[in-house]
Amino acid sequence: MNLPVKLREPANITFRGECVIPWDTFEEINSELEETYSHPRNLAAGTLRQLDANIAIERKLEYYVFDIVDGFESGNLIGNYAYVADLDMPVVEHCMVRGNLKECFSKFNPENFRLPVDGLIYRYDDTGYGKSLGATSHHPLDMLALKWQDQLYETKLTDIEWNTSKTGLINPVAIFEPVDLDGAITTRATLHNVSYIEDLELGIGDTIQIYRSNMVIPKVHANLTKSNTWMIPDKCPCCGGMVEIHNENGSKTLHCCNNGCGAKLLSRIVHFCSKNAINIEEMSEATVEFLINKGWVSNFKDIYDLKQYTGEWIRCSGFGKKSVYKLLDNIEKSKNTTLDRFIYSLSVPLIGRTASKTISKYLSGDFEDFYDKWINNYNWALLDDFGAIMNDSMNNFVRHNFLWVKELADEFTFERQKENNKNSNVDLSGKTFVITGSLNTFGNRDELKELIESFSGKVSGSVSAKTNYLINNDNLSSSSKNKKANELKVTIISEEEFLHMIK
C-alpha cells in the first residue's frame, strides 16, 4: 500500500477515497501467472474482499483520497487536496480547468494514464458554492461525471447459435473470431432476440464491432458489413420440432412449439432442482441429463421415485454407492419446502421468485389455500406487483397442468410462512428496493434480499416508477439501473445507508 505509517501531524479527519491497482503493477502480477486476471479493477475489488492486509501489500494496492468527509475545510477543493497531501496522504490526480477542457482530456486520457479510469469528474473548486447547490438523492449538484466511450473491437461473425430455454424461448448467441476485450479473450455475445438480429442486418462472415458494456458484459455494437443473409431457424435446434415467432412488447422472439422438447425438459428440471427452487443439493445439470437419457425422469415427480433404480444406478459409470445414496438423501430432504419455492420451481411463464414470494406471503404459505384459489381462476392481479398478463399466465398454466401439480405437491410438506423480523420496529412494507453492483457487507444479493423481505419490504429486478430505493455502492456508476433511477428520481443508497435505515 502507498499509505503512510502515520500522518505528518495529528488530525481528527475522515477521508473518502478508492483502492486501485495501476496498470504496470497489474501487468507485473499477470506476468507471473499461467491464468491471468482480466482487469485491474476486478483484481482490486477481489483483493479487498480477501480482508487480508498481507494480500493487499503483496498485490501493491494503492489508495487515493478524492474527498474530505469531515475534519477540515479550506473553502476550496484545491486547498483541501493540498492539505491532504501535506499530511502525506496520496491524493487523486487533478487539475484546475478554466474554460478549456483539452488540457484535462489530454492529461487523463485512459490510453496514457497509469491508473485504470473510466471517466472524469468535474467539480466546482469553491466548496461553499458547491454545497449551496444542494444535492439530489443520487449525488451532489456541484459535480459532473463524464465516462469514456466504450472501446470497440472488430471481429468476424462465424455463427449464430440458438439455445432453447425451459419456457421454449430460443435465444440467439453471436459466435465470432476470438477478440481480446479488456484482457478477456471473448468469442460469444448475446443477440437478445430476432428483432435485434434484424436491426443489425447480420450475416455469417460479417465484420462486427464488439464491446464490453460497463466493463462486464460482451455486446455486439454494430455490423460494418450488413449482408443481411442470416436465416431464422425453421426447427428447434434441440428437438427439431416446429417453431414460431412471437411479438412481445414490440420485439420478435423465437419459440419451440414442442412440449416434449428435450432442451425444455432439461432446463425445467434443472430449474426445479436449483437452489432457489426446490433445492436438491448436488443434482447437477449433467446428472439431470443422465437421468433423462436413462428414461428414469420425464417430469418433476419422477425425481421422487428414483429409489427404484438404485441397484442399477450405483453400477453406472461416473456414479458410486456413496454418491447415489447421498443424492437420494438430498432428494428426500427437499420434500420439506415452502410455498414460494414450490411455485417458483414450476416454471410458470413470467412468475419469478418475487411473484412467488408475493403469493406465498399473501396466503401465509398455505398450499391448500393457494391451490383452491388457483384452480378457481383467482384474480392474482389484486396482489402487489401483479398485472393482467401475469395473472393470465398463472391461470393459463393451471388450466393445462392442475392434475400433475396436485400430484407433485403431495410429495411435499410445506413450511408455513415465517413471521417478519419481530425484534425491530422497522417496517419496510410498501417499499420497493432494487439491488445492483457489487456488495461489501453481504455475501450475495440473496442475503440482502432476504433481509429486506424480513422487514416486509419488496425487492424487484428492475427500476421503475414504483421503486423507492436503488441499493448501489457506486452512486456514480453509469449502469442502466443508475441512469433509470436518476431519470425517475429514485433514491440511490449504499449498503451502509441501508443498514443505518433498518437500525
Side-chain angles (χ1 to χ4, degrees):
M1 295 284 284
N2 60 334
L3 292 174
V5 175
K6 62 179 181 179
L7 299 180
R8 182 173 296 182
E9 61 182 57
N12 184 10
I13 190 168
T14 303
F15 303 114
R16 180 179 288 118
E18 184 171 356
C19 287
V20 296
I21 292 179
W23 281 109
D24 55 354
T25 303
F26 176 73
E27 291 167 0
E28 179 184 340
I29 293 172
N30 270 346
S31 66
E32 300 176 358
L33 301 174
E34 290 186 7
E35 294 185 13
T36 59
Y37 295 105
S38 61
H39 196 278
R41 184 179 291 107
N42 299 340
L43 180 57
T47 301
L48 291 174
R49 283 194 290 268
Q50 298 292 323
L51 301 179
D52 185 342
N54 291 322
I55 296 177
I57 293 172
E58 180 183 329
R59 295 179 179 173
K60 301 179 182 178
L61 211 63
E62 298 183 9
Y63 176 85
Y64 293 92
V65 175
F66 58 74
D67 198 9
I68 298 178
V69 178
D70 58 60
F72 180 81
E73 178 56 72
S74 69
N76 60 81
L77 194 61
I78 297 298
N80 287 351
Y81 285 160
Y83 174 74
V84 173
D86 285 342
L87 292 176
D88 287 340
M89 285 292 291
V91 181
V92 66
E93 290 199 36
H94 56 278
C95 67
M96 180 68 76
V97 177
R98 294 183 175 86
N100 186 352
L101 300 181
K102 289 184 178 180
E103 178 187 351
C104 190
F105 280 131
S106 175
K107 181 174 182 179
F108 298 114
N109 188 296
E111 294 181 1
N112 53 36
F113 196 48
R114 65 179 293 270
L115 299 177
V117 296
D118 59 1
L120 302 175
I121 298 290
Y122 295 90
R123 192 173 184 183
Y124 284 106
D125 184 50
D126 187 332
T127 54
Y129 174 70
K131 290 178 181 178
S132 72
L133 297 175
T136 68
S137 59
H138 172 236
H139 63 276
L141 293 175
D142 67 335
M143 62 172 62
L144 174 69
L146 295 180
K147 299 289 185 179
W148 306 121
Q149 185 177 10
D150 290 306
Q151 187 170 354
L152 301 176
Y153 301 85
E154 289 187 12
T155 184
K156 183 175 291 185
L157 183 70
T158 58
D159 196 8
I160 296 177
E161 184 180 282
W162 298 81
N163 301 306
T164 307
S165 70
K166 65 181 183 292
T167 61
L169 175 65
I170 305 176
N171 300 300
V173 177
I175 311 297
F176 43 82
E177 293 180 353
V179 59
D180 188 337
L181 291 188
D182 305 312
I185 302 300
T186 308
T187 59
R188 304 164 64 89
T190 180
L191 289 173
H192 302 291
N193 52 49
V194 174
S195 296
Y196 195 79
I197 298 175
E198 287 181 337
D199 292 341
L200 288 170
E201 300 181 61
L202 287 175
I204 305 305
D206 286 1
T207 298
I208 56 177
Q209 291 180 318
I210 308 294
Y211 70 102
R212 188 175 290 279
S213 178
N214 294 322
M215 304 297 292
V216 178
I217 304 171
K219 289 189 176 181
V220 179
H221 173 71
N223 179 11
L224 303 183
T225 307
K226 295 190 175 182
S227 68
N228 202 24
T229 57
W230 68 281
M231 299 291 290
I232 300 177
D234 56 0
K235 295 180 180 179
C236 172
C238 173
C239 68
M242 293 181 59
V243 297
E244 60 184 24
I245 291 180
H246 296 176
N247 195 317
E248 301 176 352
N249 299 320
S251 295
K252 296 178 183 177
T253 54
L254 190 65
H255 294 257
C256 173
C257 304
N258 177 17
N259 290 329
C261 175
K264 293 164 69 172
L265 175 62
L266 175 63
S267 297
R268 284 199 303 268
I269 293 181
V270 168
H271 172 76
F272 176 84
C273 300
S274 65
K275 179 181 178 181
N276 294 321
I278 296 301
N279 190 23
I280 302 178
E281 295 181 6
E282 300 181 40
M283 182 67 88
S284 66
E285 181 174 340
T287 299
V288 172
E289 188 172 12
F290 163 82
L291 295 172
I292 292 174
N293 291 337
K294 291 291 289 184
W296 297 346
V297 171
S298 60
N299 56 58
F300 301 147
K301 192 175 183 302
D302 284 347
I303 293 172
Y304 296 92
D305 296 324
L306 284 171
K307 280 187 178 180
Q308 61 182 306
Y309 305 111
T310 303
E312 182 181 350
W313 194 355
I314 61 178
R315 294 193 298 271
C316 292
S317 176
F319 296 93
K321 186 175 181 179
K322 184 176 180 180
S323 63
V324 170
Y325 276 97
K326 177 67 173 175
L327 189 50
L328 289 172
D329 185 50
N330 290 339
I331 291 172
E332 196 65 26
K333 288 179 181 178
S334 74
K335 289 184 177 182
N336 292 314
T337 191
T338 55
L339 179 59
D340 61 294
R341 285 179 174 274
F342 181 80
I343 297 171
Y344 179 59
S345 75
L346 299 177
S347 294
V348 181
L350 304 180
I351 306 302
R353 291 182 66 199
T354 299
S356 301
K357 288 185 177 182
T358 298
I359 295 173
S360 181
K361 181 180 177 182
Y362 173 64
L363 301 175
S364 299
D366 188 330
F367 173 80
E368 296 300 332
D369 190 9
F370 160 71
Y371 189 72
D372 182 63
K373 283 181 168 58
W374 201 12
I375 62 176
N376 287 292
N377 290 323
Y378 183 76
N379 183 13
W380 303 106
L382 296 174
L383 304 185
D384 292 339
D385 299 324
F386 262 82
I389 297 177
M390 292 172 68
N391 178 68
D392 290 344
S393 180
M394 280 288 292
N395 291 327
N396 287 336
F397 185 89
V398 77
R399 192 174 298 123
H400 299 96
N401 303 287
F402 66 96
L403 286 176
W404 70 258
V405 168
K406 184 64 172 70
E407 290 176 359
L408 176 65
D410 289 341
E411 298 285 347
F412 294 94
T413 299
F414 291 92
E415 301 172 11
R416 297 302 296 266
Q417 181 79 37
K418 292 182 180 179
E419 294 185 19
N420 289 337
N421 206 317
K422 286 184 174 182
N423 299 322
S424 173
N425 57 4
V426 175
D427 183 10
L428 299 180
S429 57
K431 303 294 183 185
T432 299
F433 295 78
V434 174
I435 306 167
T436 190
S438 60
L439 300 176
N440 301 324
T441 303
F442 295 87
N444 53 55
R445 294 184 187 181
D446 285 342
E447 290 183 12
L448 177 52
K449 182 177 180 179
E450 288 177 8
L451 182 60
I452 292 170
E453 290 174 345
S454 74
F455 291 106
S456 299
K458 300 173 188 174
V459 178
S460 176
S462 59
V463 177
S464 69
K466 294 182 179 180
T467 305
N468 299 101
Y469 298 96
L470 172 63
I471 299 178
N472 187 358
N473 288 321
D474 182 6
N475 63 2
L476 297 179
S477 167
S478 59
S479 70
S480 59
K481 288 180 181 177
N482 259 35
K483 291 177 181 177
K484 189 70 173 180
N486 287 325
E487 291 172 7
L488 298 175
K489 293 182 169 50
V490 171
T491 303
I492 301 178
I493 59 175
S494 65
E495 273 179 281
E496 183 179 357
E497 289 169 318
F498 170 73
L499 291 173
H500 280 299
M501 178 188 296
I502 64 173
K503 286 177 182 178

